[in-house]
Amino acid sequence: METDTVKIAVLASGTGSNFKALVEGDTAPGVVDVLVTDNERAGVLQLADELGVEGRYMYPGKFRTRFGNAEEKQWADFLEDRGIQLVCLAGLMRILKGPLLEAFHGRILNIHPSLLPAFPGLDAQGQAFRYGVKVAGCTVHYVDQGTDTGPVILQRAVPVYESDTRDSLAARILTEEHMIYSEAVKAHCEGRAVYSRVVRQQKE
Ligand code: GAR
């Protein structure tokens, strides 16, 4: 029996290397259907064009780090009307608070460049580098109301070397991001990952 395709929308604000990894990686039965950005000048728009994926800019509202409520509803309506089943955040520098979370509850994934719950928020690689950790990494997780919280699907660790700079560490992490994002999307699309928290009870 053939598995039905899962239509994916990628939301991104910047360069789009994770978007590219999702388009080119094995996410089957998931297929990237559209790229939506909140940044008219984002390199990811050009990349979408080159990769033959429809790319569009949508106004996010007047705030810098979150959506306006009306605008978030417009984004959610657009994605629902298009029949999108999974939303992948790939460097979207904006938190979701309302309509998108409601419309796609349990069907929004995010990639974050740290081993969460360590170093949530902006410049996670810089935070890890400055802290002096010896192991860093990246996480794919389901999105909830928090900032970089939500059930973890996959993580991968990388070593931090004495010779590293913030940027050399970020590059090492990014290579792993590209690998685990496709793997996690595939796992979700095949039903091997679901939005549920595993609560581990402490033994007496
Ligand atoms: C990636 O490192 C991604 O993990 C990070 O932004 C970068 C986007 O790069 N996301 C976050 O920090 C979200 N909290 P890309 O545009 O080349 O995919």
Side-chain angles (χ1 to χ4, degrees):
M1 199 179 72
E2 237 180 66
T3 320
D4 285 338
T5 295
V6 177
K7 278 175 89 170
I8 300 170
V10 178
L11 312 188
S13 303
T15 316
S17 71
N18 277 290
F19 160 68
K20 185 171 192 274
L22 289 179
V23 172
E24 293 182 338
D26 174 15
T27 56
V31 173
V32 177
D33 179 60
V34 68
L35 173 279
V36 189
T37 182
D38 58 345
N39 175 5
E40 276 176 299
R41 288 186 293 274
V44 70
L45 274 176
Q46 164 87 29
L47 197 53
D49 204 37
E50 287 165 17
L51 292 167
V53 175
E54 182 180 332
R56 57 166 64 208
Y57 162 75
M58 287 183 72
Y59 179 62
K62 64 181 178 181
F63 305 104
R64 212 171 49 83
T65 56
R66 66 177 174 91
F67 285 91
N69 208 49
E71 285 79 10
E72 193 172 326
K73 175 89 171 72
Q74 283 163 7
W75 282 53
D77 289 348
F78 167 74
L79 298 174
E80 280 193 309
D81 291 348
R82 203 177 164 104
I84 293 301
Q85 292 152 289
L86 177 66
V87 176
C88 293
L89 312 186
L92 181 77
M93 291 309 180
R94 214 168 270 279
I95 48 171
L96 314 183
K97 279 290 174 200
L100 273 166
L101 283 178
E102 282 149 30
F104 290 94
H105 178 77
R107 295 183 298 147
I108 308 180
L109 307 191
N110 182 43
I111 178 96
H112 184 76
S114 78
L115 292 172
L116 290 170
F119 311 122
L122 292 176
D123 190 26
Q125 306 95 326
Q127 292 185 56
F129 181 73
R130 287 189 296 276
Y131 196 92
V133 296
K134 302 301 173 208
V135 176
C138 48
T139 303
V140 182
H141 65 95
Y142 287 104
V143 174
D144 64 10
Q145 286 85 353
T147 301
D148 301 318
T149 55
V152 170
I153 301 174
L154 272 180
Q155 294 187 302
R156 194 139 309 149
V158 302
V160 184
Y161 300 120
E162 283 300 320
S163 56
D164 267 327
T165 60
R166 182 255 171 229
D167 290 351
S168 65
L169 175 60
R172 189 173 307 117
I173 294 171
L174 192 62
T175 302
E176 299 304 322
E177 290 185 40
H178 298 159
M179 310 287 284
I180 65 166
Y181 212 177
S182 307
E183 287 175 36
V185 166
K186 190 175 179 65
H188 173 90
C189 293
E190 288 182 339
R192 288 183 287 114
V194 286
Y195 182 99
S196 60
R197 255 183 210 289
V198 180
V199 180
R200 295 192 179 82
Q201 282 182 335
Q202 192 123 29
K203 293 223 170 82
E204 291 295 314

